[in-house]
Amino acid sequence: MNSREKNQVIVRSVLDQGLTVAQAAARFGVTRQWVHTLVTRYRADGPQGLAPRSKAPKSRPGTTSQAVHGRIVQLRRQLHADGADAGPETIAWHLRDEGLMAPSTSTIRRILHAEGLVVPEPKKRPKSSYIRFEADLPNGCWQADITYCFLADGTRVDVLDFLDDHSRYLLFLRAASAYSGPMVVAALQELIDTHGVPASTLTDNGLVFTARLAGRTGGRNGFEKLLQAHHIEQKNGHPGHPQTQGKIERFHQTLKKWLRPRPAPSTTTELQALLDEFAHWYNHQRPHRSIGRRTPATAYTAQTKATPATPAHDPEWRTRTDKIAAAGTVSLRYAGKMRHLGLGRALAGQPVLLLIHDDHVITSHAETAEILAEHHIDPTRDYQPATRPPT
């Protein structure tokens, strides 16, 4: 309810489409006071005023004071210059000896890292320091990614894979010259039909997996819409941090190590045959160290599969301005594909404002605020007839 997109739809329904505050509150399920607040923010600061605002407290009594922060930095440099131990525990001791309130050693460590006073030494990092996560049940989380292989002539071929996070069971491994968004959607639907609906997915931020994190216009893509339709939680790793998808990244190493001693395939069909052979070996013949030396197939079928937790509906809110084309339509990208909304040739050239809520679109004249038509998007077709005919 607090997203910038929904707030913009609410404000423009009042300012541009002529709804009263009470009508807007009833339509969008918010209070009239909230509608008044949004309109006031928009008039004062424009669209930036509709962004969610921090709820953090204005003061933090437990925050380390600037005096203590500065003294920690001084002690670190002084102790290093003296050739003495300069770890967090030693620094805390000196602070207490000087009559200062010493923060915890973890806080001191964070300050030293933030000031660039700690030289990373990866070789000394203990294995216990790594944060390891694993889904509790099969289908609790599916990791997906696209890697690549090369044919004998050097041609690069994409390989799409889905891996069950709990059991490491390889759900999908298929080669193609290049993977598009609709191809990834079809693969996910095939897996759902075969293995059931997972509780969540984990991918990187590639455009075939997500459009909402890439700053692209056009709303959610087909992959995101399919997840939404089945109440599947979508998880995405941070850009430049492939460790989040560590299992599937490590799986890619296993795959390419297995392919390396074999003759390079001449065609995508030959590569797919190798991938099928690898998938059978990986799932049914190779005991996996991370799952107690069981095969992924055994681990995948050992427990009841997880299902989506049916979280609260996460609606999509957007606005768009356009001019009606000569054919009497306006274009709208929905689920990663361009759709054409019918409004009638008589309105060609007129400027319009589209308010989009999931698959529901209300189109009004951008200058007069007159409601021209309503549409409910049918994702199976391009042309979308109006559910409320143009006036």
Side-chain angles (χ1 to χ4, degrees):
M1 186 185 74
N2 212 16
S3 69
R4 186 199 299 261
E5 292 80 5
K6 179 177 180 180
N7 293 345
Q8 188 171 356
V9 170
I10 294 173
V11 169
R12 298 196 71 172
S13 71
V14 174
L15 299 181
D16 296 330
Q17 292 191 338
L19 293 185
T20 66
V21 169
Q23 289 171 336
R27 171 175 288 183
F28 301 111
V30 297
T31 65
R32 288 178 291 175
Q33 180 61 41
W34 181 240
V35 177
H36 279 296
T37 298
L38 292 177
V39 172
T40 300
R41 290 182 184 177
Y42 186 83
R43 285 174 171 161
D45 302 317
Q48 295 302 320
L50 302 179
R53 299 189 176 184
S54 174
K55 296 181 181 179
K58 291 183 170 50
S59 63
R60 295 179 173 86
T63 301
T64 305
S65 68
Q66 287 298 317
V68 173
H69 183 111
R71 186 58 182 146
I72 289 171
V73 173
Q74 291 175 354
L75 282 170
R76 174 73 169 192
R77 290 170 174 160
Q78 177 185 332
L79 291 169
H80 263 307
D82 293 340
D85 177 62
E89 293 183 359
T90 301
I91 291 174
W93 182 89
H94 280 281
L95 290 174
R96 289 191 292 268
D97 188 58
E98 295 174 5
L100 297 174
M101 181 65 70
S104 67
T105 55
S106 59
T107 297
I108 296 174
R109 187 175 293 107
R110 284 195 296 269
I111 291 172
L112 297 178
H113 275 281
E115 294 291 337
L117 297 176
V118 176
V119 178
E121 296 185 53
K123 293 183 180 179
K124 295 181 64 176
R125 183 177 179 182
K127 292 182 179 180
S128 60
S129 66
Y130 289 95
I131 300 175
R132 186 176 183 272
F133 67 91
E134 179 180 280
D136 294 330
L137 293 170
N139 283 9
C141 178
W142 288 355
Q143 292 198 28
D145 200 1
I146 297 176
T147 186
Y148 59 88
C149 295
F150 291 99
L151 301 181
D153 62 359
T155 301
R156 174 170 164 161
V157 178
D158 282 354
V159 177
L160 172 66
D161 41 31
F162 281 79
L163 194 72
D164 180 67
D165 186 271
H166 170 80
S167 64
R168 313 305 200 276
Y169 186 73
L170 181 57
L171 299 156
F172 189 93
L173 186 66
R174 195 167 298 170
S177 57
Y179 267 96
S180 63
M183 293 170 67
V184 175
V185 172
L188 177 59
Q189 185 62 65
E190 178 183 330
L191 289 179
I192 290 174
D193 294 340
T194 304
H195 300 286
V197 183
S200 65
T201 62
L202 174 61
T203 69
D204 61 19
N205 298 289
L207 289 176
V208 295
F209 298 120
T210 179
R212 62 189 173 88
L213 300 177
R216 294 284 293 269
T217 59
R220 297 170 183 168
N221 65 15
F223 188 83
E224 292 166 313
K225 284 292 186 182
L226 183 56
L227 296 182
Q228 181 183 10
H230 290 283
H231 303 289
I232 301 170
E233 181 185 0
Q234 182 178 27
K235 302 174 185 176
N236 297 94
H238 291 291
H241 195 271
Q243 295 90 335
T244 305
Q245 300 89 43
K247 294 183 182 68
I248 204 160
E249 295 290 349
R250 180 62 181 85
F251 164 78
H252 292 161
Q253 296 180 32
T254 302
L255 169 63
K256 293 179 181 181
K257 182 179 180 181
W258 186 89
L259 289 172
R260 196 171 298 125
R262 288 163 174 78
S266 299
T267 65
T268 302
T269 302
E270 291 181 8
L271 173 60
Q272 186 60 54
L274 282 174
L275 296 180
D276 292 342
E277 181 184 348
F278 168 84
H280 179 78
W281 170 79
Y282 182 87
N283 281 335
H284 300 278
Q285 298 176 348
R286 176 183 181 268
H288 203 295
R289 180 174 57 186
S290 296
I291 53 175
R293 295 293 180 182
R294 295 176 295 168
T295 64
T298 300
Y300 186 68
T301 56
Q303 299 185 65
T304 303
K305 292 183 174 64
T307 57
T310 59
H313 181 54
D314 181 19
E316 179 181 9
W317 303 88
R318 286 189 285 149
T319 63
R320 186 171 184 273
T321 57
D322 201 353
K323 282 189 177 182
I324 301 176
T329 62
V330 291
S331 60
L332 176 70
R333 185 171 293 279
Y334 178 85
K337 294 183 180 180
M338 194 64 71
R339 322 287 173 165
H340 294 87
L341 281 57
L343 291 162
R345 294 178 184 272
L347 297 174
Q350 297 297 314
V352 291
L353 167 67
L354 286 72
L355 301 185
I356 304 115
H357 174 205
D358 284 338
D359 62 351
H360 182 219
V361 183
I362 301 175
T363 304
S364 64
H365 196 285
E367 296 174 354
T368 66
E370 176 188 2
I371 302 294
L372 300 179
E374 290 189 44
H375 294 80
H376 284 86
I377 304 298
D378 180 354
T380 65
R381 60 190 300 176
D382 178 345
Y383 179 77
Q384 307 290 326
T387 54
R388 180 202 290 186
T391 57

